[in-house]
C-alpha cells in the first residue's frame, strides 16, 4: 500500500485511514486518485470523493467511488476498458 495526500490521518486502533487533498493510493495493480479517501484496512472498504480508479482492465472516473470486496458503486461515472 502506498498513499500520498496533503493530509493523512491513521487510526491505528480502528485500522482506518483518512486522506484529504490530492489523494493518490496504489495497492498492487490498483490506483486511486481523488479529493478525499477513507479506507478500512481490516476489510478493504474504500470511499473516495471526486474519484478516478484504475484496476486493470478497467478505468473509472466518478463523483465518488465506494467499494467493498463484492461491489463497486460510482455515481455519474465513466468507464473505460483497456486491453
Amino acid at each position: 500500500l502506498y498513499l500520498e495526500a496533503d493530509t493523512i490521518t491513521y487510526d491505528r486502533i480502528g485500522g482506518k485511514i483518512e486522506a484529504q487533498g490530492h489523494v493518490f493510493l496504489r495497492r498492487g495493480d490498483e490506483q486511486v486518485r481523488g479529493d478525499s479517501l477513507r479506507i478500512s484496512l481490516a476489510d478493504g472498504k474504500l470511499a473516495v470523493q471526486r474519484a478516478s480508479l484504475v484496476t486493470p482492465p478497467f478505468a473509472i472516473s466518478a463523483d465518488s467511488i465506494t467499494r467493498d470486496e463484492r461491489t463497486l458503486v460510482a455515481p455519474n461515472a465513466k468507464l473505460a476498458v483497456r486491453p
Side-chain angles (χ1 to χ4, degrees):
L1 176 107
Y2 175 80
L3 177 62
E4 289 180 14
D6 294 342
T7 304
I8 298 171
T9 304
Y10 174 45
D11 175 357
R12 291 180 357 173
I13 295 170
K16 296 181 182 179
I17 298 173
E18 291 189 10
Q20 300 289 324
H22 304 100
V23 175
F24 173 73
L25 170 71
R26 182 176 52 234
R27 291 191 302 182
D29 289 343
E30 180 180 73
Q31 295 183 14
V32 179
R33 295 183 187 275
D35 287 347
S36 65
L37 170 142
R38 287 180 318 210
I39 186 168
S40 170
L41 299 176
D43 58 17
K45 288 184 182 177
L46 175 75
V48 186
Q49 299 301 310
R50 293 181 49 136
S52 65
L53 169 78
V54 176
T55 184
F58 301 106
I60 301 167
S61 62
D63 291 344
S64 64
I65 294 174
T66 56
R67 193 202 68 210
D68 61 27
E69 67 181 44
R70 292 187 57 226
T71 307
L72 184 141
V73 178
N76 298 315
K78 295 178 183 173
L79 171 71
V81 179
R82 298 179 177 171

